[in-house]
Amino acid sequence: HLAVYPDGKKNRLLITNSLFGMGNPLLDISAVVDKDFLDKYNLKPNDQILAEDKHKALFEELVKKFKVEYHAGGATQNSIKIAQWMIQEPRKVGTFFGCIGKDQFGEILKKKAEDAHIETHYYEQDDEPTGTCAACITGANRSLIANLAAANCYKKEKHLDLEENWKILEKAKVFYIAGFFLTVSLESMLKVAKHASENNKLFCLNLSAPFICQFFKDNLMQIIPYVDVLFGNETEAAAFAKEQDFDTKDIKEIAKKAQALPKVNTKRHRVVVLTQGQEDTVMALHDKISTFPVVKIDPKDIVDTNGAGDAFVGGFLSELVREKPLDQCIKAAHYAANVIIQRAGCTFPEKPDYK
């Protein structure tokens, strides 16, 4: 289970289950659509929302009218897979918990996770089918509509609390949960966050979507005090700042103010990492702000941006779990995001070409 990484200074040991993720396992149903389709369902070109009754027909029309591709998705699961892909050996450094249905889509997710060499422990139930996410692609934009279904049925007492599952979680030293899971199981998130904090491990969270910052603000603010690394993009950062009355639209100021929010584990300073598409990534640590340019890319090489944010986090986590410096974490994050936007969905070649 041990792999030794010579990194110039000293060897880093990596063991299985070092990186833990929990979230909504979804099957992405992805298609290039037209503006009429977006307008018909009142969708923004670049957004993430939860499906409502009015979107039911959208899923059916997408499959009927457009050429769809199925990809294993779910934000956190994507990030854990990308981290594992960047790490390569040993396998199963990444672990993922979530809820699926006992159906064909669930089987596909299991198979895809196995192919990605991550260890999944799904809570399987048959009240709801496996969740899906419609990824509607127009140009370099993607509009995501998640029908959580089974993913919404995750239960702390039915899964996370079970001794055999908790033992696996305890092996981890880095934890990552996307903000999307705040709509599903705050109590599961709090249990994981408190474990990390009490054991001086790293707990990472993503703002995930403007609606999380707006409509799940109370849940979000219960978790923020435990967060060691906070991720977000420019639209999420703006929504967060507005809801928190930060009184600024400047992304560097937002990063600084988010970094300074109260924190339970004072042994570690919070790190805030905000991406802005092709603009520089902003990082706040202590009261210092750093910016990092992204990897340049010709717009015509962008296939779709679905999964870019997840890949960024995955790249970052792959170095964080190896205790690398933060600037190296961001470099790996930028590399992974650059690979993913040149491919359909959150998919990747067999091996990374990353030094």
Side-chain angles (χ1 to χ4, degrees):
H1 285 337
L2 289 176
V4 178
Y5 285 86
D7 67 352
K9 294 184 187 136
K10 58 182 180 186
N11 292 340
R12 300 282 184 220
L13 296 178
L14 261 191
I15 57 169
T16 51
N17 310 121
S18 297
L19 173 63
F20 176 87
M22 178 167 65
N24 300 329
L26 305 173
L27 192 72
D28 283 354
I29 305 171
S30 179
V32 174
V33 302
D34 48 36
K35 190 177 178 303
D36 291 348
F37 185 80
L38 295 183
D39 293 344
K40 180 177 177 180
Y41 292 101
N42 201 15
L43 302 171
K44 292 177 191 162
N46 222 15
D47 202 8
Q48 307 97 313
I49 61 169
L50 290 179
E52 298 168 42
D53 284 346
K54 65 180 180 191
H55 296 115
K56 206 172 169 157
L58 177 151
F59 283 81
E60 290 160 14
E61 187 176 336
L62 192 68
V63 173
K64 262 200 213 109
K65 197 168 162 188
F66 301 96
K67 183 177 172 293
V68 299
E69 289 184 16
Y70 293 91
H71 299 289
T76 304
Q77 186 168 242
N78 282 343
S79 295
I80 300 298
K81 281 182 184 167
I82 295 278
Q84 181 65 54
W85 170 70
M86 291 286 285
I87 289 163
Q88 289 285 309
E89 297 288 339
R91 294 176 168 184
K92 299 190 174 177
V93 169
T95 314
F96 179 78
F97 285 14
C99 183
I100 59 173
K102 294 178 178 171
D103 51 27
Q104 188 206 350
F105 283 177
E107 290 305 315
I108 293 173
L109 286 185
K110 281 191 208 166
K111 171 82 174 75
K112 296 278 189 189
E114 208 175 291
D115 292 347
H117 309 303
I118 64 168
E119 188 173 312
T120 52
H121 293 267
Y122 292 126
Y123 168 48
E124 297 182 44
Q125 48 73 61
D126 42 24
D127 294 335
E128 286 280 349
T130 296
T132 49
C133 178
C136 305
I137 315 290
T138 51
N141 292 320
R142 52 62 181 143
S143 198
L144 305 176
I145 306 94
N147 178 26
L148 296 184
N152 204 28
C153 301
Y154 190 85
K155 298 278 185 290
K156 174 176 160 290
E157 63 284 358
K158 293 264 179 72
H159 194 260
L160 188 67
D161 291 346
L162 301 184
E163 194 186 353
E164 65 269 26
N165 290 335
W166 189 253
K167 270 192 172 140
I168 293 161
L169 175 139
E170 285 182 318
K171 289 167 71 178
K173 55 183 181 180
V174 175
F175 301 85
Y176 172 65
I177 304 178
F180 289 125
F181 206 57
L182 287 164
T183 76
V184 174
S185 184
L186 174 65
E187 56 283 6
S188 295
M189 287 179 77
L190 281 168
K191 184 173 181 177
V192 174
K194 285 173 181 171
H195 166 79
S197 188
E198 284 157 12
N199 294 279
N200 197 29
K201 296 174 174 183
L202 283 160
F203 182 78
C204 313
L205 179 81
N206 203 318
L207 293 174
S208 290
F211 83 85
I212 296 290
C213 305
Q214 293 159 339
F215 308 120
F216 293 87
K217 180 165 69 173
D218 294 350
N219 285 10
L220 178 60
M221 295 322 287
Q222 282 189 58
I223 288 286
I224 288 287
Y226 299 98
V227 176
D228 296 298
V229 184
L230 180 67
F231 297 102
N233 66 22
E234 71 278 35
T235 49
E236 294 147 15
F240 185 68
K242 189 168 179 245
E243 292 299 325
Q244 297 304 315
D245 299 321
F246 281 176
D247 203 21
T248 180
K249 289 181 176 169
D250 181 293
I251 194 144
K252 292 178 182 173
E253 283 302 308
I254 294 170
K256 204 184 268 189
K257 290 192 173 195
Q259 196 278 331
L261 289 168
K263 191 165 186 300
V264 174
N265 178 11
T266 51
K267 292 192 194 105
R268 293 183 185 275
H269 291 279
R270 180 180 296 122
V271 183
V272 177
V273 183
L274 301 175
T275 60
Q276 319 181 71
Q278 61 193 11
E279 302 300 319
D280 291 3
T281 294
V282 172
M283 180 173 83
L285 176 62
H286 311 301
D287 51 3
K288 184 175 180 291
I289 298 285
S290 314
T291 58
F292 302 84
V294 301
V295 184
K296 291 275 174 280
I297 184 168
D298 188 325
K300 71 174 188 300
D301 291 333
I302 299 175
V303 174
D304 79 54
T305 54
N306 184 19
D310 302 336
F312 177 92
V313 172
F316 192 100
L317 295 173
S318 73
E319 296 287 55
L320 191 67
V321 78
R322 288 184 265 197
E323 298 170 26
K324 298 285 182 73
L326 291 167
D327 59 339
Q328 284 189 36
C329 295
I330 288 185
K331 191 180 164 208
H334 282 162
Y335 167 79
N338 180 264
V339 170
I340 265 60
I341 61 178
Q342 297 181 62
R343 300 170 67 91
C346 194
T347 61
F348 36 86
E350 193 188 341
K351 287 202 162 124
D353 173 25
Y354 181 75
K355 297 287 176 280

